[in-house]
Amino acid sequence: MATNANRKLFVNLPVRDLDRTVEFFSQLGFRFNPQFTDATATCMRVGEDAFVMLLVEPRFRDFTKKRIADTASSSEGIFALSAGSRAEVDEFAEKALALGGTKAMEPVDHGFMYGRSFYDLDGHHWEIFWMDPAAMEQ
């Protein structure tokens, strides 16, 4: 059994239009693994050990017996991404909004941590945040 330190994270999200979703996240700098991509799904690489499987809704239903959350009225989760600086947080969030995302919450600024959030084209809630490395060492 893998230790927790060796685990990889795969988040599965339903999407209505895979091509449009891939274009949105490609413009935000993400890349996709063609080995796990077809007309119904793709694997978005978030980092070395984190991936988001974007599945068209009929394909997503193959993995759950529950209804797909209506992201217009419900949050199925909040997906937070780290950034290297406050400026990167703002740049990323502004780009997401310019690409058709919508503002989720007001920016959060705790001094040592700063973040912004948006909803993607399917209403999934994303956050981008920066945390002062010095604060993390304490």
Side-chain angles (χ1 to χ4, degrees):
M1 177 182 259
T3 64
N4 287 339
N6 296 329
R7 294 190 193 284
K8 298 182 184 302
L9 175 66
F10 292 84
V11 174
N12 296 291
L13 293 177
V15 301
R16 289 182 285 276
D17 184 329
L18 185 60
D19 292 337
R20 189 168 175 237
T21 299
V22 167
E23 178 64 21
F24 177 82
F25 284 106
S26 292
Q27 292 295 317
L28 290 174
F30 292 101
R31 297 294 170 251
F32 298 85
N33 184 336
Q35 185 179 5
F36 301 107
T37 298
D38 62 20
T40 64
T42 190
C43 178
M44 182 172 81
R45 188 181 171 129
V46 175
E48 188 173 322
D49 295 320
F51 308 86
V52 176
M53 292 299 301
L54 301 166
L55 305 134
V56 294
E57 291 180 348
R59 182 72 176 121
F60 184 85
R61 286 187 185 98
D62 291 339
F63 299 97
T64 183
K65 294 178 181 175
K66 293 184 176 181
R67 289 182 303 148
I68 294 175
D70 177 359
T71 56
S73 60
S74 302
S75 291
E76 83 274 65
I78 299 172
F79 311 102
L81 304 168
S82 62
S85 68
R86 294 173 65 99
E88 184 182 345
V89 168
D90 286 333
E91 180 183 350
F92 191 97
E94 289 302 321
K95 194 167 189 177
L97 297 175
L99 291 167
T102 55
K103 182 177 174 180
M105 303 290 287
E106 293 299 320
V108 174
D109 190 348
H110 296 291
F112 70 95
M113 187 170 71
Y114 174 68
R116 293 180 60 178
S117 60
F118 64 92
Y119 297 113
D120 70 15
L121 303 177
D122 289 284
H124 303 296
H125 190 153
W126 293 86
E127 290 183 346
I128 180 85
F129 72 96
W130 166 83
M131 185 177 289
D132 184 345
M136 292 173 38
E137 293 173 4
Q138 297 176 1

